[in-house]
Protein backbone atom coordinates (compact mmCIF):
# COMPACT_ATOMS: atom_id res chain seq x y z
CA UNK A 1 0.00 0.00 0.00
CA UNK A 2 1.25 3.52 -0.69
CA UNK A 3 2.35 5.90 2.02
CA UNK A 4 -0.55 8.10 3.00
CA UNK A 5 0.85 10.48 5.60
CA UNK A 6 3.56 12.61 4.08
CA UNK A 7 5.38 15.80 4.99
CA UNK A 8 4.80 18.49 2.35
CA UNK A 9 6.84 21.34 3.80
CA UNK A 10 8.50 22.54 6.99
CA UNK A 11 9.37 26.10 7.93
CA UNK A 12 11.76 26.88 10.76
CA UNK A 13 12.02 30.62 11.22
CA UNK A 14 15.61 31.79 11.05
CA UNK A 15 14.52 35.30 12.00
CA UNK A 16 11.36 36.57 13.66
CA UNK A 17 8.51 36.98 11.21
CA UNK A 18 4.89 38.04 11.30
CA UNK A 19 3.73 34.99 9.38
CA UNK A 20 4.53 31.50 8.11
CA UNK A 21 2.86 30.68 4.82
CA UNK A 22 2.50 27.38 2.98
CA UNK A 23 1.57 28.16 -0.61
CA UNK A 24 1.01 26.13 -3.78
CA UNK A 25 -0.37 23.26 -1.70
CA UNK A 26 -1.01 20.34 -4.08
CA UNK A 27 -4.59 19.07 -4.30
CA UNK A 28 -3.52 15.43 -4.32
CA UNK A 29 -4.28 14.66 -0.68
CA UNK A 30 -7.57 14.13 1.14
CA UNK A 31 -6.80 16.00 4.37
CA UNK A 32 -4.06 18.29 5.62
CA UNK A 33 -2.42 18.55 9.02
CA UNK A 34 -0.38 21.51 10.29
CA UNK A 35 1.74 21.22 13.42
CA UNK A 36 3.11 24.42 14.95
CA UNK A 37 5.44 24.73 17.91
CA UNK A 38 6.65 28.19 18.79
CA UNK A 39 6.69 31.39 20.76
CA UNK A 40 6.02 35.08 20.16
CA UNK A 41 8.39 38.00 20.55
CA UNK A 42 5.54 39.47 22.60
CA UNK A 43 2.50 37.79 24.11
CA UNK A 44 0.35 37.73 21.01
CA UNK A 45 -2.49 35.67 19.55
CA UNK A 46 -1.73 33.18 16.79
CA UNK A 47 -4.12 33.33 13.83
CA UNK A 48 -4.55 31.48 10.55
CA UNK A 49 -6.02 32.26 7.17
CA UNK A 50 -6.75 30.17 4.11
CA UNK A 51 -5.99 31.36 0.58
CA UNK A 52 -5.26 34.85 1.92
CA UNK A 53 -8.97 35.40 2.60
CA UNK A 54 -9.44 38.48 4.81
CA UNK A 55 -13.23 38.42 4.66
CA UNK A 56 -15.38 37.65 7.68
CA UNK A 57 -15.76 34.01 6.68
CA UNK A 58 -14.29 32.28 9.72
CA UNK A 59 -15.91 31.02 12.93
CA UNK A 60 -15.19 28.56 15.71
CA UNK A 61 -16.58 26.62 18.66
CA UNK A 62 -14.18 25.71 21.47
CA UNK A 63 -13.94 23.43 24.52
CA UNK A 64 -11.12 24.10 26.93
CA UNK A 65 -9.79 23.70 30.43
CA UNK A 66 -7.42 26.09 32.15
CA UNK A 67 -6.51 24.25 35.32
CA UNK A 68 -9.45 25.54 37.32
CA UNK A 69 -12.50 24.82 35.17
CA UNK A 70 -13.90 23.59 31.89
CA UNK A 71 -15.54 26.03 29.51
CA UNK A 72 -16.96 26.42 26.02
CA UNK A 73 -17.11 29.49 23.81
CA UNK A 74 -17.30 30.56 20.21
CA UNK A 75 -16.45 33.29 17.74
CA UNK A 76 -18.49 34.20 14.67
CA UNK A 77 -17.90 36.03 11.40
CA UNK A 78 -14.21 36.65 12.03
CA UNK A 79 -11.66 37.59 9.38
CA UNK A 80 -9.17 34.99 10.65
CA UNK A 81 -8.96 31.71 12.57
CA UNK A 82 -8.02 32.28 16.18
CA UNK A 83 -5.80 29.37 17.20
CA UNK A 84 -5.42 30.41 20.84
CA UNK A 85 -8.45 32.48 21.87
CA UNK A 86 -7.83 31.82 25.59
CA UNK A 87 -4.05 32.27 25.84
CA UNK A 88 -1.66 34.09 23.57
CA UNK A 89 1.69 32.74 22.47
CA UNK A 90 4.17 32.79 25.32
CA UNK A 91 7.43 34.67 24.86
CA UNK A 92 9.41 31.86 26.53
CA UNK A 93 7.55 28.54 26.55
CA UNK A 94 6.68 26.90 23.22
CA UNK A 95 2.99 26.39 22.53
CA UNK A 96 1.83 23.54 20.31
CA UNK A 97 -1.06 23.81 17.89
CA UNK A 98 -2.36 21.17 15.50
CA UNK A 99 -4.79 21.84 12.66
CA UNK A 100 -6.55 18.97 10.88
CA UNK A 101 -8.15 20.30 7.71
CA UNK A 102 -10.71 17.92 6.21
CA UNK A 103 -11.42 17.56 2.47
CA UNK A 104 -9.40 20.72 1.81
CA UNK A 105 -9.58 20.28 -1.97
CA UNK A 106 -13.30 19.50 -2.01
CA UNK A 107 -16.29 21.68 -2.85
CA UNK A 108 -17.90 21.86 0.61
CA UNK A 109 -17.21 24.53 3.22
CA UNK A 110 -14.09 23.62 5.18
CA UNK A 111 -14.03 22.33 8.77
CA UNK A 112 -10.78 22.16 10.72
CA UNK A 113 -10.18 20.46 14.07
CA UNK A 114 -7.69 22.44 16.15
CA UNK A 115 -5.86 21.66 19.36
CA UNK A 116 -3.75 23.91 21.56
CA UNK A 117 -1.44 22.50 24.22
CA UNK A 118 -0.03 25.15 26.55
CA UNK A 119 1.49 24.70 30.00
CA UNK A 120 3.50 27.54 31.50
CA UNK A 121 4.20 26.12 34.97
CA UNK A 122 1.20 27.44 36.82
CA UNK A 123 -0.95 28.72 33.99
CA UNK A 124 -1.96 27.22 30.71
CA UNK A 125 -4.78 25.77 28.67
CA UNK A 126 -5.71 22.62 26.83
CA UNK A 127 -8.12 23.36 24.06
CA UNK A 128 -10.09 21.59 21.34
CA UNK A 129 -11.83 23.59 18.63
CA UNK A 130 -13.86 23.21 15.49
CA UNK A 131 -13.16 25.93 12.93
CA UNK A 132 -15.30 26.68 9.91
CA UNK A 133 -14.18 28.52 6.78
CA UNK A 134 -17.26 29.38 4.80
CA UNK A 135 -15.81 28.86 1.36
CA UNK A 136 -16.19 26.09 -1.18
CA UNK A 137 -12.84 26.92 -2.80
CA UNK A 138 -10.03 24.40 -2.64
CA UNK A 139 -7.39 25.43 -0.12
CA UNK A 140 -4.06 26.10 -1.80
CA UNK A 141 -2.48 28.35 0.83
CA UNK A 142 -2.38 28.30 4.64
CA UNK A 143 -0.88 31.16 6.64
CA UNK A 144 -0.11 31.26 10.35
CA UNK A 145 0.22 34.86 11.47
CA UNK A 146 0.26 37.34 14.31
CA UNK A 147 -0.87 40.95 14.28
CA UNK A 148 1.37 43.82 15.40
CA UNK A 149 4.14 41.49 16.55
CA UNK A 150 6.26 38.59 15.30
CA UNK A 151 6.68 34.86 15.76
CA UNK A 152 10.05 34.15 17.34
CA UNK A 153 13.00 32.75 15.39
CA UNK A 154 13.24 29.00 15.92
CA UNK A 155 9.48 28.47 15.79
CA UNK A 156 8.58 25.52 13.56
CA UNK A 157 5.55 24.73 11.40
CA UNK A 158 5.15 21.55 9.37
CA UNK A 159 2.48 20.80 6.79
CA UNK A 160 1.50 17.16 6.21
CA UNK A 161 -0.72 15.63 3.55
CA UNK A 162 -2.96 12.64 4.33
CA UNK A 163 -4.18 10.62 1.38
CA UNK A 164 -6.98 8.06 1.34
CA UNK A 165 -7.44 5.01 -0.85
CA UNK B 1 19.71 -1.42 -1.17
CA UNK B 2 21.90 -0.12 -3.98
CA UNK B 3 24.86 1.99 -3.03
CA UNK B 4 23.87 5.64 -2.87
CA UNK B 5 20.15 4.94 -2.42
CA UNK B 6 18.37 5.61 0.86
CA UNK B 7 17.18 2.62 2.88
CA UNK B 8 13.55 1.73 2.20
CA UNK B 9 11.29 2.67 5.08
CA UNK B 10 7.86 1.00 4.94
CA UNK B 11 4.96 3.37 5.56
CA UNK B 12 3.59 3.38 9.09
CA UNK B 13 0.25 5.01 8.33
CA UNK B 14 -1.60 3.40 5.44
CA UNK B 15 -4.90 3.92 3.74
CA UNK B 16 -7.07 0.79 3.90
CA UNK B 17 -10.35 1.93 2.34
CA UNK B 18 -12.54 4.96 1.67
CA UNK B 19 -16.32 5.31 1.49
CA UNK B 20 -18.55 8.27 0.68
CA UNK B 21 -22.14 9.21 1.46
CA UNK B 22 -24.72 8.76 -1.26
CA UNK B 23 -27.83 10.47 0.12
CA UNK B 24 -29.72 7.24 0.62
CA UNK B 25 -28.03 5.30 3.42
CA UNK B 26 -27.23 6.02 7.05
CA UNK B 27 -24.62 3.30 7.42
CA UNK B 28 -21.06 3.10 6.10
CA UNK B 29 -19.40 -0.28 6.61
CA UNK B 30 -15.78 -1.28 6.26
CA UNK B 31 -15.46 -5.06 6.13
CA UNK B 32 -12.63 -7.58 5.77
CA UNK B 33 -10.30 -5.32 7.73
CA UNK B 34 -6.84 -6.94 7.76
CA UNK B 35 -5.32 -7.78 11.14
CA UNK B 36 -1.85 -6.59 10.16
CA UNK B 37 -1.93 -3.21 11.91
CA UNK B 38 -1.58 -2.20 15.54
CA UNK B 39 -4.31 0.43 15.55
CA UNK B 40 -6.97 1.84 13.23
CA UNK B 41 -7.86 5.46 12.59
CA UNK B 42 -10.91 6.84 10.81
CA UNK B 43 -11.03 10.39 9.52
CA UNK B 44 -14.67 11.27 8.95
CA UNK B 45 -16.32 14.31 7.40
CA UNK B 46 -20.12 14.23 7.53
CA UNK B 47 -22.70 16.12 5.52
CA UNK B 48 -26.26 15.28 6.57
CA UNK B 49 -29.17 17.58 5.85
CA UNK B 50 -31.29 15.51 8.24
CA UNK B 51 -28.81 15.97 11.11
CA UNK B 52 -28.16 13.37 13.80
CA UNK B 53 -25.23 12.24 15.91
CA UNK B 54 -22.66 9.74 14.69
CA UNK B 55 -22.06 6.24 16.10
CA UNK B 56 -19.88 3.18 15.56
CA UNK B 57 -20.46 -0.58 15.90
CA UNK B 58 -18.10 -3.51 15.42
CA UNK B 59 -18.50 -6.88 13.68
CA UNK B 60 -22.25 -6.21 13.14
CA UNK B 61 -22.84 -6.51 16.89
CA UNK B 62 -26.14 -4.74 17.73
CA UNK B 63 -26.32 -6.05 21.29
CA UNK B 64 -25.91 -3.99 24.42
CA UNK B 65 -22.20 -4.68 24.50
CA UNK B 66 -20.90 -1.12 24.34
CA UNK B 67 -20.32 1.71 26.83
CA UNK B 68 -19.36 5.35 26.33
CA UNK B 69 -18.39 8.61 28.02
CA UNK B 70 -18.13 12.13 26.66
CA UNK B 71 -17.19 15.70 27.53
CA UNK B 72 -18.24 18.53 25.28
CA UNK B 73 -19.35 22.13 24.85
CA UNK B 74 -21.77 24.03 22.64
CA UNK B 75 -20.23 27.48 22.73
CA UNK B 76 -21.78 28.48 26.05
CA UNK B 77 -22.19 25.38 28.24
CA UNK B 78 -20.15 22.24 28.91
CA UNK B 79 -21.46 18.73 29.38
CA UNK B 80 -20.31 15.30 30.43
CA UNK B 81 -22.22 12.05 30.34
CA UNK B 82 -21.80 8.30 30.25
CA UNK B 83 -23.93 5.33 29.29
CA UNK B 84 -23.32 1.68 30.17
CA UNK B 85 -24.60 -1.42 28.36
CA UNK B 86 -25.76 0.28 25.20
CA UNK B 87 -25.89 -0.86 21.56
CA UNK B 88 -23.49 1.64 19.93
CA UNK B 89 -20.68 4.06 20.77
CA UNK B 90 -21.29 7.74 20.09
CA UNK B 91 -18.46 9.36 18.14
CA UNK B 92 -20.13 12.63 17.12
CA UNK B 93 -22.77 15.05 18.37
CA UNK B 94 -24.54 16.30 15.27
CA UNK B 95 -24.30 17.08 11.56
CA UNK B 96 -25.87 19.40 9.03
CA UNK B 97 -25.99 20.33 5.38
CA UNK B 98 -23.41 22.75 3.96
CA UNK B 99 -21.06 22.92 6.96
CA UNK B 100 -19.28 19.60 7.60
CA UNK B 101 -19.04 17.86 10.97
CA UNK B 102 -15.64 16.21 11.43
CA UNK B 103 -14.19 13.42 13.54
CA UNK B 104 -10.90 11.63 14.10
CA UNK B 105 -11.59 8.20 15.59
CA UNK B 106 -8.89 5.90 16.99
CA UNK B 107 -9.47 2.21 17.66
CA UNK B 108 -6.67 0.76 19.73
CA UNK B 109 -5.33 -2.80 19.56
CA UNK B 110 -8.28 -3.74 17.35
CA UNK B 111 -6.87 -7.12 16.31
CA UNK B 112 -6.36 -8.42 19.84
CA UNK B 113 -8.24 -11.61 20.69
CA UNK B 114 -7.79 -11.20 24.45
CA UNK B 115 -8.81 -7.59 25.14
CA UNK B 116 -11.96 -5.51 24.98
CA UNK B 117 -11.68 -2.71 22.40
CA UNK B 118 -11.26 0.94 23.37
CA UNK B 119 -12.29 3.78 21.07
CA UNK B 120 -11.54 7.50 21.16
CA UNK B 121 -13.16 10.19 19.03
CA UNK B 122 -12.43 13.88 18.65
CA UNK B 123 -15.46 15.66 17.20
CA UNK B 124 -16.02 19.22 16.01
CA UNK B 125 -18.73 21.04 14.13
CA UNK B 126 -19.09 24.80 13.72
CA UNK B 127 -21.88 26.59 11.89
CA UNK B 128 -20.97 30.25 12.52
CA UNK B 129 -23.05 30.79 15.62
CA UNK B 130 -23.93 27.18 16.41
CA UNK B 131 -22.10 23.89 16.78
CA UNK B 132 -20.26 21.83 19.34
CA UNK B 133 -16.95 20.21 20.25
CA UNK B 134 -16.78 16.82 21.99
CA UNK B 135 -14.28 14.24 23.16
CA UNK B 136 -15.62 10.69 23.34
CA UNK B 137 -14.34 7.44 24.78
CA UNK B 138 -16.04 4.11 24.38
CA UNK B 139 -15.52 0.41 24.74
CA UNK B 140 -16.77 -2.66 22.90
CA UNK B 141 -17.00 -5.36 25.56
CA UNK B 142 -15.82 -8.14 23.30
CA UNK B 143 -12.43 -9.78 22.89
CA UNK B 144 -12.88 -10.79 19.25
CA UNK B 145 -10.64 -9.11 16.69
CA UNK B 146 -12.39 -6.28 14.87
CA UNK B 147 -12.86 -7.41 11.28
CA UNK B 148 -15.59 -5.00 10.28
CA UNK B 149 -16.96 -1.72 11.54
CA UNK B 150 -20.02 0.35 10.74
CA UNK B 151 -20.45 4.09 11.03
CA UNK B 152 -24.00 5.32 11.53
CA UNK B 153 -25.87 8.58 11.85
CA UNK B 154 -29.08 9.31 13.71
CA UNK B 155 -28.79 6.08 15.72
CA UNK B 156 -28.22 4.29 12.40
CA UNK B 157 -31.51 5.68 11.10
CA UNK B 158 -30.31 8.87 9.40
CA UNK B 159 -28.76 9.58 6.00
CA UNK B 160 -25.16 10.34 5.01
CA UNK B 161 -25.41 12.86 2.18
CA UNK B 162 -23.02 13.48 -0.70
CA UNK B 163 -19.93 15.22 0.64
CA UNK B 164 -19.55 12.68 3.45
CA UNK B 165 -16.09 11.11 3.33
CA UNK B 166 -14.98 8.23 5.59
CA UNK B 167 -11.35 7.17 5.34
CA UNK B 168 -10.03 4.13 7.21
CA UNK B 169 -6.30 3.98 7.96
CA UNK B 170 -4.08 1.36 9.53
CA UNK B 171 -1.24 2.31 11.86
CA UNK B 172 1.68 -0.11 12.04
CA UNK B 173 3.44 -1.18 15.22
CA UNK B 174 7.15 -1.80 15.49
Amino acid sequence: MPATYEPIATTTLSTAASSITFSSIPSTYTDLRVVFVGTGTTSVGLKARFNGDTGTNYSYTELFGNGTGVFSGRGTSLNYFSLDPQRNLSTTIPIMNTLDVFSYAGSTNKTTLVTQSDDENGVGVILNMAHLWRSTSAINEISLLVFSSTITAGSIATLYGIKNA
Amino acid sequence: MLSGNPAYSPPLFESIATATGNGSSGTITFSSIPSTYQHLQIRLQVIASGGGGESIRFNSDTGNNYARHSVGGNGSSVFSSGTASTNQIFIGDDAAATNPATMIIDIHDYASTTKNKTVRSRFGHDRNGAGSVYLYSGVWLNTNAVTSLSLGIGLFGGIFDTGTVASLYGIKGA
Side-chain angles (χ1 to χ4, degrees):
Chain A
M1 293 182 182
T4 57
Y5 193 132
E6 299 172 331
I8 298 173
T10 297
T11 297
T12 303
L13 290 179
S14 57
T15 59
S18 60
S19 65
I20 296 172
T21 297
F22 297 109
S23 56
S24 302
I25 298 171
S27 61
T28 50
Y29 300 94
T30 309
D31 300 334
L32 298 174
R33 169 168 255 238
V34 179
V35 178
F36 169 85
V37 181
T39 54
T41 50
T42 63
S43 176
V44 61
L46 183 66
K47 324 290 188 191
R49 283 180 173 143
F50 293 157
N51 292 4
D53 181 10
T54 58
T56 54
N57 299 312
Y58 305 87
S59 56
Y60 69 84
T61 302
E62 63 178 338
L63 172 69
F64 65 95
N66 61 7
T68 59
V70 182
F71 309 93
S72 184
R74 69 165 37 99
T76 59
S77 299
L78 304 170
N79 64 6
Y80 54 79
F81 280 152
S82 177
L83 300 181
D84 53 3
Q86 301 305 319
R87 283 198 65 77
N88 289 339
L89 287 178
S90 164
T91 58
T92 56
I93 296 180
I95 307 304
M96 175 177 172
N97 286 93
T98 64
L99 294 77
D100 282 282
V101 189
F102 288 74
S103 295
Y104 72 103
S107 57
T108 61
N109 290 341
K110 307 298 182 298
T111 298
T112 300
L113 292 180
V114 175
T115 66
Q116 181 192 4
S117 302
D118 170 3
D119 191 287
E120 299 173 46
N121 192 29
V123 294
V125 69
I126 181 165
L127 177 145
N128 274 270
M129 314 174 77
H131 272 291
L132 176 68
W133 183 43
R134 296 191 309 284
S135 171
T136 58
S137 298
I139 294 170
N140 51 45
E141 181 181 287
I142 297 175
S143 295
L144 307 177
L145 63 155
V146 298
F147 297 155
S148 303
S149 186
T150 53
I151 303 167
T152 308
S155 298
I156 302 173
T158 301
L159 173 67
Y160 297 91
I162 301 173
K163 193 182 303 184
N164 65 15
Chain B
M1 176 177 69
L2 296 174
S3 176
N5 289 336
Y8 173 70
S9 237
L12 303 177
F13 189 91
E14 297 177 341
S15 175
I16 298 173
T18 300
T20 56
N22 59 13
S24 62
S25 174
T27 302
I28 291 173
T29 298
F30 294 109
S31 55
S32 302
I33 298 170
S35 61
T36 50
Y37 301 96
Q38 192 72 44
H39 310 294
L40 299 175
Q41 184 175 97
I42 303 162
R43 299 177 68 90
L44 176 60
Q45 167 174 293
V46 173
I47 297 287
S49 57
E54 296 82 3
S55 308
I56 192 169
R57 286 174 173 153
F58 299 110
N59 293 10
S60 303
D61 182 1
T62 58
N64 290 326
N65 301 312
Y66 304 88
R68 62 192 183 226
H69 279 84
S70 65
V71 59
N74 64 1
S76 57
S77 299
V78 294
F79 313 95
S80 183
S81 66
T83 304
S85 300
T86 185
N87 63 7
Q88 55 199 289
I89 297 172
F90 288 166
I91 53 173
D93 177 52
D94 64 358
T98 309
N99 300 317
T102 55
M103 282 141 275
I104 299 174
I105 305 138
D106 290 294
I107 304 153
H108 302 275
D109 213 0
Y110 73 102
S112 169
T113 56
T114 60
K115 302 173 188 171
N116 296 328
K117 307 302 181 297
T118 295
V119 177
R120 172 183 69 180
S121 177
R122 187 153 64 91
F123 167 88
H125 186 204
D126 185 87
R127 302 193 298 275
N128 192 34
S132 60
V133 176
Y134 272 81
L135 301 172
Y136 294 91
S137 67
V139 65
W140 181 38
L141 297 166
N142 191 304
T143 59
N144 290 336
V146 173
T147 57
S148 74
L149 63 88
S150 295
L151 305 170
I153 188 165
L155 303 175
F156 284 89
I159 298 291
F160 287 118
D161 287 334
T162 301
T164 296
V165 181
S167 303
L168 175 65
Y169 299 91
I171 302 171
K172 292 278 193 181

